[in-house]
Amino acid sequence: MKKQSELYSGKAKTVYTTDDPEKLILHFRNDTSAFDGEKLQKLERKGMVNNYFNAFIMQKLQAAGVPTHFEKLLSEDESLVKKLDMLPIECVVRNISTGSLCRRLGVEEGLDLDPPTFEFFLKNDELHDPMINDSHILTFKWATQAEIDRMKELTFKVNGLLKALFADAGLLLVDYKLEFGRYQGDLLLGDEFTPDGCRLWDAETREKLDKDRFRQGLGGVVEAYEEVARRLGVELPEVSA
Ligand code: 5GP
């Protein structure tokens, strides 16, 4: 598999074309961003940790019947994926209230949400990823009704699978964001699943072990990601002295 040219560089990943038109390489960089790119920092080892973390989760999901774009790990910070036609939509499920839900609706932080909420957001940094609904998606042709239904079905399926996986590791899956894309007539889970795009709290202490440590300047960001990876049994390469 030969890496060719850079296709797109996002805030934390760069995407490269390969000699196979159906496959792309994702390079997980150490760059970390928050607040639509306003806060930026390089964090040693984050690219590597996220690459292995994402591979672990994507493989678990794939094995449990959630179709994903993930193919294989290529190096410490690169993975091979199927080339999807990405929908410009973020799907967010929340099990515990925090973040923008509390800001928007004025609800208390830390409530158990039963049933969990589901929200769509438009991927658009300039507009700060506004919340959208099914009607907007249909009117502006961002996805079809069948795709809307499938995104909801798969995002909730991921919730059942990952809530249990994280619970076994002593962690609460508070909320997370997923992105989907089209591939040969199907909808597959794309992008990544890492602590950059979800909230994970220690089940006992409710300590934050995700990107909120970066957003809120709590420090120990990569250490927290590594702690989550260790608890899940993700095998990370030894840190050289
Ligand atoms: P909130 O809407 O509370 O800011 O975020 C809800 C969940 O979705 C959090 O787990 C957050 O990390 C994730 N999320 C929402 N938008 C984005 C985004 O643009 N990038 C990333 N990495 N995660 C996001």
Side-chain angles (χ1 to χ4, degrees), residues 137-233:
I137 294 175
L138 291 173
T139 297
F140 299 109
K141 315 256 181 310
W142 291 318
T144 65
Q145 184 62 56
E147 287 169 335
I148 290 174
D149 296 344
R150 186 75 172 142
M151 282 191 281
K152 289 183 188 172
E153 179 195 341
L154 289 175
T155 305
F156 277 119
K157 180 164 183 165
V158 166
N159 198 36
L161 295 166
L162 295 190
K163 247 192 341 187
L165 185 83
F166 287 116
D168 286 344
L171 297 161
L172 296 171
L173 177 59
V174 173
D175 57 27
Y176 57 93
K177 179 258 307 173
L178 300 182
E179 296 180 28
F180 294 89
R182 298 176 181 132
Y183 184 79
Q184 297 179 354
D186 283 327
L187 205 61
L188 307 191
L189 176 61
D191 193 47
E192 67 179 77
F193 193 102
T194 69
D196 271 1
C198 68
R199 290 190 174 98
L200 296 165
W201 293 352
D202 180 275
E204 292 290 315
T205 63
R206 298 213 156 192
E207 184 189 5
K208 297 177 200 310
L209 297 168
D210 55 66
K211 198 162 88 174
D212 271 353
R213 298 200 70 83
F214 176 72
R215 295 187 187 101
Q216 298 173 12
L218 301 174
V221 179
V222 178
E223 290 77 2
Y225 289 23
E226 285 174 324
E227 167 66 12
V228 173
R230 190 192 60 73
R231 290 199 205 177
L232 287 176

XYZ file of all heavy atoms in Angstrom, residues 137-233:
784
model
N -31.906 18.266 7.389
C -31.080 17.302 6.634
C -31.774 16.934 5.318
O -31.135 16.884 4.260
C -30.806 16.045 7.494
C -29.921 16.421 8.693
C -30.150 14.943 6.660
C -29.684 15.291 9.694
N -33.106 16.744 5.371
C -33.842 16.372 4.159
C -33.941 17.550 3.191
O -33.700 17.424 1.998
C -35.248 15.875 4.527
C -35.270 14.529 5.272
C -36.688 14.207 5.731
C -34.726 13.397 4.391
N -34.280 18.722 3.742
C -34.452 19.901 2.878
C -33.164 20.253 2.141
O -33.178 20.540 0.945
C -34.916 21.105 3.725
O -36.183 20.801 4.268
C -34.994 22.375 2.888
N -32.037 20.213 2.867
C -30.774 20.614 2.237
C -30.025 19.435 1.636
O -28.882 19.573 1.209
C -29.929 21.417 3.233
C -30.628 22.677 3.665
C -31.135 22.816 4.952
C -30.832 23.704 2.746
C -31.818 23.965 5.331
C -31.520 24.859 3.119
C -32.011 24.993 4.409
N -30.689 18.254 1.636
C -30.160 17.054 0.971
C -28.786 16.652 1.508
O -27.913 16.222 0.758
C -30.091 17.260 -0.561
C -31.335 17.892 -1.176
C -32.182 16.876 -1.893
C -33.426 17.423 -2.551
N -34.322 18.259 -1.788
N -28.586 16.805 2.820
C -27.321 16.354 3.420
C -27.329 14.835 3.587
O -26.281 14.226 3.694
C -27.082 17.049 4.771
C -26.798 18.514 4.618
C -25.988 19.086 3.669
C -27.297 19.584 5.425
N -25.961 20.459 3.840
C -26.756 20.786 4.910
C -28.151 19.656 6.529
C -27.025 22.039 5.472
C -28.421 20.903 7.087
C -27.866 22.083 6.558
N -28.521 14.231 3.646
C -28.661 12.772 3.716
C -30.109 12.432 3.389
O -30.992 13.296 3.443
C -28.309 12.259 5.106
N -30.364 11.163 3.058
C -31.736 10.713 2.766
C -32.414 10.254 4.065
O -31.749 10.073 5.091
C -31.714 9.520 1.800
O -31.074 8.421 2.468
C -30.967 9.839 0.518
N -33.734 10.023 3.980
C -34.449 9.524 5.169
C -33.881 8.169 5.609
O -33.710 7.921 6.808
C -35.945 9.395 4.861
C -36.785 8.987 6.066
C -36.736 10.014 7.200
O -37.049 11.179 7.005
N -36.311 9.577 8.390
N -33.558 7.317 4.630
C -33.007 5.995 4.979
C -31.669 6.174 5.702
O -31.365 5.436 6.656
C -32.830 5.159 3.724
N -30.877 7.138 5.259
C -29.572 7.369 5.911
C -29.754 7.941 7.318
O -29.013 7.592 8.240
C -28.708 8.288 5.040
C -28.188 7.578 3.795
C -27.551 8.513 2.780
O -27.889 9.723 2.743
O -26.722 8.019 1.995
N -30.749 8.828 7.482
C -31.049 9.366 8.813
C -31.400 8.208 9.762
O -30.870 8.102 10.871
C -32.216 10.383 8.741
C -31.762 11.663 8.035
C -32.773 10.683 10.134
C -32.900 12.662 7.788
N -32.290 7.334 9.282
C -32.715 6.199 10.115
C -31.530 5.308 10.461
O -31.389 4.852 11.602
C -33.788 5.380 9.384
C -35.070 6.179 9.157
O -35.244 7.222 9.810
O -35.881 5.761 8.310
N -30.679 5.056 9.473
C -29.520 4.170 9.691
C -28.506 4.820 10.654
O -27.944 4.138 11.516
C -28.868 3.889 8.333
C -27.750 2.883 8.369
C -28.236 1.475 8.518
N -27.128 0.530 8.353
C -26.978 -0.578 9.065
N -27.859 -0.909 9.975
N -25.945 -1.375 8.858
N -28.294 6.137 10.529
C -27.356 6.814 11.447
C -27.842 6.685 12.882
O -27.066 6.429 13.797
C -27.201 8.302 11.075
C -26.289 8.523 9.889
S -25.867 10.254 9.645
C -27.332 10.867 8.849
N -29.162 6.870 13.076
C -29.713 6.762 14.438
C -29.570 5.331 14.950
O -29.140 5.104 16.080
C -31.184 7.180 14.455
C -31.382 8.671 14.251
C -32.854 9.035 14.350
C -33.088 10.485 13.966
N -34.496 10.833 13.876
N -29.924 4.380 14.089
C -29.856 2.964 14.494
C -28.420 2.586 14.882
O -28.184 2.000 15.946
C -30.330 2.116 13.302
C -30.300 0.628 13.550
C -30.411 -0.169 12.239
O -30.855 0.376 11.204
O -30.018 -1.343 12.274
N -27.464 2.949 14.033
C -26.074 2.551 14.305
C -25.506 3.307 15.500
O -24.747 2.737 16.302
C -25.200 2.780 13.060
C -25.448 1.809 11.897
C -24.626 2.211 10.677
C -25.112 0.365 12.305
N -25.856 4.586 15.653
C -25.301 5.366 16.768
C -25.814 4.813 18.093
O -25.061 4.731 19.072
C -25.633 6.863 16.605
O -25.176 7.284 15.322
C -24.925 7.715 17.647
N -27.078 4.390 18.140
C -27.597 3.782 19.376
C -27.015 2.382 19.592
O -26.778 1.977 20.730
C -29.128 3.744 19.364
C -29.746 5.044 19.798
C -30.558 5.773 18.953
C -29.496 5.551 21.069
C -31.112 6.989 19.355
C -30.053 6.767 21.484
C -30.858 7.485 20.618
N -26.784 1.662 18.493
C -26.161 0.337 18.645
C -24.762 0.496 19.251
O -24.376 -0.251 20.154
C -26.086 -0.360 17.273
C -25.457 -1.726 17.338
C -25.726 -2.560 16.110
C -25.102 -3.942 16.318
N -25.560 -4.949 15.406
N -24.019 1.486 18.763
C -22.689 1.777 19.313
C -22.814 2.100 20.804
O -21.986 1.667 21.617
C -22.036 2.955 18.543
C -20.818 3.505 19.280
C -21.655 2.517 17.130
N -23.863 2.804 21.185
C -24.033 3.167 22.598
C -24.148 1.916 23.474
O -23.475 1.790 24.495
C -25.267 4.047 22.778
C -25.254 4.801 24.096
O -24.194 5.223 24.560
N -26.409 4.966 24.709
N -24.979 0.990 23.052
C -25.151 -0.245 23.830
C -23.834 -0.991 23.964
O -23.463 -1.441 25.060
N -23.114 -1.096 22.854
C -21.860 -1.857 22.860
C -20.788 -1.167 23.703
O -20.126 -1.792 24.536
C -21.335 -2.021 21.424
C -22.211 -2.863 20.481
C -21.798 -2.674 19.033
C -22.103 -4.342 20.890
N -20.623 0.122 23.482
C -19.503 0.812 24.145
C -19.795 1.147 25.605
O -18.887 1.174 26.432
C -19.100 2.071 23.368
C -18.523 1.805 21.976
C -17.924 3.086 21.396
C -17.475 0.695 21.979
N -21.057 1.413 25.941
C -21.379 1.642 27.366
C -20.942 0.418 28.178
O -20.326 0.545 29.230
C -22.894 1.845 27.526
C -23.227 3.237 27.942
C -24.622 3.532 28.399
C -25.747 2.621 28.061
N -27.054 3.142 28.450
N -21.235 -0.770 27.649
C -20.879 -2.012 28.360
C -19.365 -2.198 28.378
O -18.787 -2.551 29.423
C -21.555 -3.196 27.684
N -18.718 -1.939 27.240
C -17.256 -2.105 27.164
C -16.555 -1.187 28.168
O -15.656 -1.610 28.902
C -16.795 -1.777 25.741
C -15.323 -2.001 25.439
C -15.066 -3.464 25.101
C -14.881 -1.139 24.249
N -16.977 0.073 28.212
C -16.346 1.027 29.133
C -16.734 0.719 30.581
O -15.904 0.870 31.486
C -16.698 2.473 28.756
C -15.986 2.955 27.514
C -16.686 3.287 26.358
C -14.607 3.079 27.489
C -16.026 3.715 25.208
C -13.927 3.508 26.350
C -14.646 3.828 25.206
N -17.969 0.278 30.806
C -18.393 -0.044 32.182
C -17.503 -1.148 32.759
O -17.101 -1.086 33.928
C -19.857 -0.471 32.203
N -17.164 -2.124 31.925
C -16.287 -3.214 32.387
C -14.902 -2.701 32.760
O -14.170 -3.362 33.487
C -16.142 -4.284 31.286
C -17.404 -5.125 31.150
O -18.244 -5.091 32.074
O -17.549 -5.805 30.117
N -14.538 -1.539 32.243
C -13.231 -0.944 32.554
C -13.368 0.143 33.626
O -12.441 0.939 33.832
C -12.628 -0.367 31.274
N -14.519 0.181 34.299
C -14.714 1.158 35.378
C -14.906 2.580 34.878
O -14.561 3.551 35.559
N -15.484 2.695 33.673
C -15.645 4.025 33.056
C -17.093 4.267 32.647
O -17.793 3.331 32.233
C -14.773 4.125 31.787
C -13.266 4.008 32.029
C -12.551 3.657 30.740
C -12.734 5.320 32.600
N -17.516 5.525 32.737
C -18.838 5.929 32.261
C -18.678 6.570 30.885
O -17.869 7.498 30.728
C -19.450 6.968 33.206
C -19.741 6.514 34.639
C -20.135 7.723 35.492
C -20.854 5.471 34.637
N -19.439 6.067 29.907
C -19.472 6.715 28.590
C -20.529 7.815 28.688
O -21.728 7.542 28.653
C -19.821 5.702 27.494
C -19.955 6.275 26.087
C -18.671 6.950 25.614
C -20.376 5.183 25.093
N -20.076 9.033 28.860
C -20.973 10.175 29.115
C -21.677 10.601 27.825
O -22.897 10.729 27.772
C -20.166 11.348 29.713
C -21.014 12.601 29.830
C -19.587 10.936 31.060
N -20.888 10.830 26.767
C -21.442 11.195 25.454
C -20.370 10.978 24.395
O -19.202 10.739 24.720
C -21.989 12.637 25.452
C -20.954 13.675 25.850
O -19.753 13.441 25.639
O -21.344 14.734 26.386
N -20.762 11.042 23.131
C -19.786 10.850 22.051
C -20.386 11.336 20.744
O -21.601 11.482 20.604
C -19.375 9.372 21.918
C -20.533 8.448 21.691
C -20.935 8.101 20.400
C -21.247 7.941 22.763
C -22.027 7.270 20.190
C -22.337 7.109 22.567
C -22.727 6.782 21.283
O -23.813 5.969 21.087
N -19.474 11.547 19.809
C -19.864 12.029 18.473
C -19.394 11.021 17.430
O -18.254 10.546 17.492
C -19.168 13.380 18.251
C -19.411 14.044 16.940
C -18.336 13.941 15.918
C -16.946 14.337 16.276
N -15.983 14.009 15.206
N -20.285 10.694 16.504
C -19.926 9.792 15.396
C -20.175 10.483 14.061
O -21.041 11.357 13.961
C -20.770 8.517 15.432
C -20.706 7.622 16.670
C -21.595 6.396 16.466
C -19.281 7.198 16.991
N -19.409 10.057 13.060
C -19.623 10.546 11.693
C -19.714 9.349 10.761
O -18.993 8.360 10.951
C -18.472 11.466 11.269
C -18.408 12.726 12.112
C -17.278 13.651 11.701
O -16.883 13.641 10.521
O -16.787 14.368 12.590
N -20.566 9.469 9.755
C -20.797 8.366 8.820
C -20.530 8.807 7.386
O -20.586 9.994 7.059
C -22.249 7.882 8.925
C -22.570 7.245 10.249
C -23.029 8.021 11.315
C -22.388 5.891 10.438
C -23.316 7.438 12.545
C -22.668 5.298 11.667
C -23.135 6.068 12.720
N -20.267 7.803 6.527
C -20.066 8.103 5.105
C -20.567 6.975 4.241
O -20.774 5.849 4.708
N -20.780 7.311 2.970
C -21.302 6.316 2.011
C -20.149 5.521 1.402
O -19.090 6.084 1.100
C -22.031 7.039 0.878
C -23.222 7.827 1.354
C -23.850 8.615 0.210
N -24.982 9.387 0.702
C -25.178 10.673 0.434
N -24.320 11.339 -0.327
N -26.244 11.293 0.920
N -20.415 4.222 1.232
C -19.425 3.361 0.588
C -20.161 2.249 -0.146
O -20.821 1.432 0.499
C -18.478 2.766 1.633
C -17.361 1.934 1.054
C -16.228 2.539 0.498
C -17.431 0.552 1.063
C -15.207 1.775 -0.032
C -16.406 -0.222 0.540
C -15.297 0.408 -0.004
O -14.268 -0.355 -0.519
N -20.079 2.249 -1.447
C -20.678 1.190 -2.287
C -22.120 0.885 -1.878
O -22.481 -0.268 -1.652
C -19.804 -0.064 -2.220
C -18.412 0.203 -2.784
C -17.481 -1.007 -2.726
O -17.824 -2.045 -2.160
N -16.302 -0.864 -3.302
N -22.920 1.947 -1.705
C -24.344 1.772 -1.426
C -24.689 1.582 0.042
O -25.868 1.512 0.394
N -23.674 1.468 0.901
C -23.925 1.310 2.344
C -23.489 2.552 3.097
O -22.736 3.374 2.573
C -23.126 0.127 2.906
C -23.766 -1.193 2.555
O -25.011 -1.240 2.467
O -23.018 -2.163 2.356
N -23.933 2.620 4.357
C -23.465 3.694 5.240
C -22.518 3.058 6.250
O -22.884 2.090 6.921
C -24.678 4.305 5.949
C -24.505 5.737 6.424
C -24.224 6.677 5.259
C -25.766 6.186 7.154
N -21.290 3.568 6.338
C -20.306 3.011 7.268
C -19.911 4.070 8.288
O -19.921 5.266 7.992
C -19.026 2.576 6.540
C -19.114 1.642 5.342
C -17.717 1.154 4.963
C -20.016 0.469 5.604
N -19.520 3.602 9.480
C -18.975 4.512 10.483
C -17.586 4.949 10.019
O -16.742 4.105 9.691
C -18.885 3.785 11.839
C -18.246 4.576 12.983
C -19.031 5.840 13.297
C -18.132 3.690 14.231
N -17.357 6.263 9.991
C -16.071 6.784 9.541
C -15.372 7.556 10.645
O -15.638 7.349 11.835
N -14.465 8.441 10.245
C -13.730 9.303 11.163
C -13.039 8.475 12.243
O -12.273 7.574 11.907
C -14.688 10.364 11.733
C -13.948 11.491 12.437
O -12.975 12.005 11.856
O -14.324 11.850 13.563
N -13.277 8.762 13.522
C -12.543 8.082 14.591
C -13.412 7.932 15.824
O -14.414 8.656 15.986
C -11.307 8.906 14.969
C -11.665 10.241 15.615
C -10.439 11.061 16.021
O -9.814 11.656 15.123
O -10.120 11.100 17.225
N -13.043 7.002 16.692
C -13.613 6.974 18.044
C -12.436 6.980 18.999
O -11.725 5.972 19.155
C -14.504 5.749 18.292
C -15.315 5.915 19.548
C -16.649 6.263 19.492
C -14.709 5.812 20.804
C -17.384 6.487 20.659
C -15.437 6.028 21.969
C -16.778 6.367 21.894
N -12.189 8.114 19.620
C -11.070 8.283 20.567
C -11.549 9.224 21.675
O -12.625 9.836 21.550
C -9.855 8.944 19.869
O -10.206 10.311 19.557
C -9.447 8.223 18.598
N -10.756 9.386 22.729
C -11.167 10.329 23.785
C -11.188 11.790 23.317
O -11.584 12.672 24.077
C -10.107 10.116 24.883
C -9.561 8.747 24.629
C -9.561 8.600 23.137
N -10.783 12.044 22.061
C -10.935 13.394 21.500
C -12.397 13.702 21.187
O -12.787 14.872 21.145
C -10.148 13.527 20.185
C -8.716 13.989 20.394
O -8.305 14.199 21.550
O -8.005 14.133 19.373
N -13.189 12.670 20.935
C -14.559 12.907 20.467
C -15.624 12.270 21.353
O -16.752 12.057 20.914
N -15.237 11.941 22.583
C -16.230 11.410 23.521
C -15.894 11.914 24.923
O -14.844 12.521 25.131
C -16.257 9.879 23.507
S -14.803 9.077 24.169
N -16.801 11.700 25.849
C -16.495 12.011 27.251
C -16.528 10.714 28.046
O -17.480 9.924 27.923
C -17.488 13.015 27.839
C -17.330 14.422 27.265
C -18.140 15.447 28.032
N -17.875 16.806 27.571
C -18.663 17.458 26.692
N -19.756 16.884 26.207
N -18.350 18.693 26.342
N -15.476 10.510 28.816
C -15.335 9.318 29.648
C -14.991 9.751 31.059
O -14.035 10.509 31.254
C -14.199 8.436 29.097
C -14.423 7.851 27.698
C -13.121 7.322 27.111
C -15.479 6.758 27.745
N -15.783 9.275 32.024
C -15.513 9.615 33.426
C -15.210 8.336 34.197
O -15.812 7.280 33.917
C -16.739 10.271 34.073
C -17.103 11.615 33.534
C -16.397 12.385 32.664
C -18.310 12.356 33.835
N -17.083 13.561 32.392
C -18.254 13.554 33.102
C -19.427 12.105 34.652
C -19.266 14.518 33.161
C -20.442 13.055 34.706
C -20.355 14.249 33.976
N -14.335 8.439 35.170
C -14.119 7.324 36.076
C -15.452 7.035 36.778
O -16.104 7.967 37.269
C -13.021 7.669 37.090
C -12.775 6.517 38.035
O -13.498 6.405 39.052
O -11.870 5.716 37.753
N -15.836 5.753 36.826
C -17.162 5.410 37.349
C -17.289 5.707 38.844
O -18.389 5.996 39.330
C -17.460 3.934 37.072
N -16.175 5.642 39.576
C -16.220 5.878 41.025
C -16.128 7.360 41.354
O -16.941 7.916 42.089
C -15.026 5.179 41.696
C -15.080 3.667 41.663
C -16.174 3.125 42.569
O -16.270 3.618 43.709
O -16.924 2.238 42.115
N -15.093 8.002 40.799
C -14.764 9.377 41.206
C -15.357 10.428 40.271
O -15.347 11.610 40.595
C -13.242 9.575 41.212
O -12.776 9.407 39.862
C -12.544 8.571 42.122
N -15.808 10.013 39.080
C -16.289 10.917 38.023
C -15.181 11.837 37.506
O -15.449 12.891 36.907
C -17.525 11.716 38.464
C -18.711 10.808 38.772
C -20.037 11.463 38.433
N -21.054 10.439 38.199
C -22.249 10.655 37.673
N -22.609 11.857 37.331
N -23.095 9.683 37.470
N -13.912 11.441 37.733
C -12.793 12.200 37.162
C -12.895 12.140 35.643
O -13.211 11.088 35.068
C -11.460 11.574 37.607
C -10.256 12.363 37.137
C -8.920 11.654 37.364
O -8.940 10.493 37.804
O -7.878 12.258 37.089
N -12.603 13.275 34.987
C -12.691 13.339 33.524
C -11.426 12.736 32.919
O -10.313 13.115 33.302
C -12.823 14.790 33.064
C -14.096 15.486 33.536
C -14.074 16.932 33.077
C -14.983 17.878 33.816
N -16.331 17.584 34.025
N -11.626 11.836 31.943
C -10.480 11.150 31.329
C -10.528 11.295 29.806
O -10.237 10.360 29.073
C -10.486 9.668 31.731
C -10.322 9.404 33.241
C -10.638 7.951 33.576
C -8.918 9.772 33.705
N -10.882 12.479 29.338
C -11.103 12.707 27.903
C -10.655 14.114 27.533
O -10.000 14.787 28.328
C -12.599 12.524 27.602
C -13.413 13.431 28.514
O -13.313 14.668 28.377
O -14.133 12.924 29.410
N -11.074 14.580 26.349
C -10.573 15.875 25.860
C -11.038 17.055 26.707
O -10.481 18.165 26.580
C -10.930 16.093 24.389
C -10.055 17.176 23.773
C -10.048 17.156 22.272
C -11.153 17.971 21.711
N -11.072 18.082 20.238
N -12.002 16.882 27.577
C -12.370 17.978 28.477
C -11.167 18.378 29.346
O -11.082 19.524 29.797
C -13.558 17.595 29.375
C -14.907 17.943 28.720
O -14.894 18.598 27.650
O -15.949 17.563 29.271
N -10.211 17.465 29.557
C -9.000 17.832 30.324
C -8.233 18.923 29.570
O -7.642 19.809 30.184
C -8.082 16.620 30.540
C -8.694 15.484 31.338
C -7.624 14.569 31.910
N -6.883 15.245 32.963
C -7.285 15.335 34.215
N -8.409 14.770 34.602
N -6.556 15.982 35.098
N -8.227 18.817 28.227
C -7.574 19.838 27.400
C -8.439 21.095 27.336
O -7.964 22.212 27.578
C -7.333 19.276 25.999
C -6.746 20.272 25.038
C -5.427 20.679 25.146
C -7.524 20.809 24.016
C -4.878 21.610 24.264
C -6.993 21.733 23.129
C -5.668 22.134 23.257
N -9.736 20.911 27.056
C -10.642 22.070 26.931
C -10.605 22.905 28.209
O -10.635 24.127 28.164
C -12.084 21.609 26.686
C -12.319 20.898 25.371
C -13.811 20.643 25.144
N -14.074 19.833 23.973
C -14.355 18.530 24.005
N -14.448 17.892 25.152
N -14.552 17.854 22.889
N -10.573 22.233 29.362
C -10.673 22.946 30.644
C -9.315 23.199 31.292
O -9.261 23.651 32.445
C -11.577 22.140 31.586
C -13.002 22.009 31.034
C -13.886 21.067 31.844
O -13.532 20.664 32.953
N -15.040 20.720 31.299
N -8.214 22.886 30.568
C -6.866 23.161 31.080
C -6.531 22.381 32.341
O -5.819 22.885 33.213
N -7.030 21.140 32.432
C -6.798 20.343 33.642
C -5.447 19.628 33.626
O -5.013 19.098 34.660
C -7.913 19.295 33.817
C -9.335 19.835 33.935
C -10.349 18.698 33.950
C -9.468 20.675 35.211
N -4.781 19.577 32.439
C -3.486 18.885 32.343
C -3.661 17.375 32.311
O -4.773 16.853 32.441
N -2.527 16.667 32.127
C -2.553 15.200 32.119
C -3.463 14.624 31.048
O -4.097 13.581 31.260
N -3.501 15.270 29.892
C -4.438 14.850 28.837
C -4.059 13.465 28.286
O -4.847 12.518 28.358
C -4.484 15.883 27.684
C -5.446 15.431 26.589
C -4.859 17.260 28.212
N -2.830 13.361 27.784
C -2.435 12.085 27.164
C -2.348 10.988 28.224
O -2.692 9.831 27.969
C -1.105 12.243 26.387
C -0.678 10.911 25.793
C -1.271 13.268 25.281
N -1.926 11.365 29.429
C -1.866 10.387 30.532
C -3.266 9.800 30.788
O -3.409 8.606 31.044
C -1.329 11.036 31.815
C 0.151 11.398 31.779
C 0.468 12.667 30.993
O -0.479 13.326 30.486
O 1.664 13.001 30.863
N -4.284 10.644 30.707
C -5.658 10.162 30.914
C -6.074 9.223 29.778
O -6.670 8.169 30.014
C -6.627 11.345 31.002
N -5.730 9.587 28.528
C -6.065 8.731 27.384
C -5.366 7.372 27.553
O -5.932 6.324 27.251
C -5.599 9.358 26.063
C -6.362 10.581 25.581
C -7.076 11.394 26.439
C -6.339 10.936 24.236
C -7.745 12.521 25.976
C -7.006 12.048 23.748
C -7.705 12.843 24.625
O -8.364 13.948 24.151
N -4.108 7.412 28.020
C -3.356 6.163 28.200
C -3.958 5.313 29.321
O -3.976 4.082 29.230
C -1.885 6.470 28.497
C -1.143 6.910 27.242
C 0.278 7.374 27.511
O 0.510 8.005 28.570
O 1.141 7.117 26.662
N -4.460 5.979 30.339
C -5.104 5.262 31.444
C -6.365 4.536 30.939
O -6.594 3.370 31.259
C -5.447 6.265 32.562
C -6.392 5.780 33.649
C -5.808 4.668 34.516
O -4.588 4.426 34.435
O -6.593 4.037 35.249
N -7.155 5.224 30.129
C -8.349 4.600 29.559
C -7.934 3.414 28.680
O -8.507 2.316 28.780
C -9.168 5.616 28.730
C -10.310 4.926 28.009
C -9.701 6.727 29.622
N -6.923 3.623 27.848
C -6.455 2.555 26.950
C -5.986 1.353 27.778
O -6.319 0.206 27.475
C -5.332 3.073 26.064
N -5.240 1.609 28.841
C -4.734 0.535 29.690
C -5.891 -0.251 30.306
O -5.902 -1.474 30.295
C -3.839 1.144 30.793
C -3.052 0.138 31.608
C -2.419 0.773 32.844
N -3.380 1.363 33.771
C -4.198 0.682 34.561
N -4.185 -0.626 34.552
N -5.051 1.311 35.361
N -6.896 0.475 30.812
C -8.031 -0.211 31.444
C -8.807 -1.073 30.458
O -9.375 -2.096 30.817
C -8.993 0.808 32.053
C -8.435 1.503 33.274
C -9.606 2.094 34.030
N -9.232 3.226 34.838
C -10.109 3.940 35.534
N -11.394 3.647 35.494
N -9.710 4.962 36.254
N -8.856 -0.607 29.185
C -9.590 -1.371 28.165
C -8.790 -2.565 27.651
O -9.351 -3.466 27.026
C -9.902 -0.479 26.953
C -10.980 0.583 27.109
C -11.064 1.406 25.832
C -12.343 -0.044 27.392
N -7.474 -2.528 27.886
C -6.624 -3.597 27.353
C -6.088 -3.289 25.964
O -5.706 -4.198 25.234
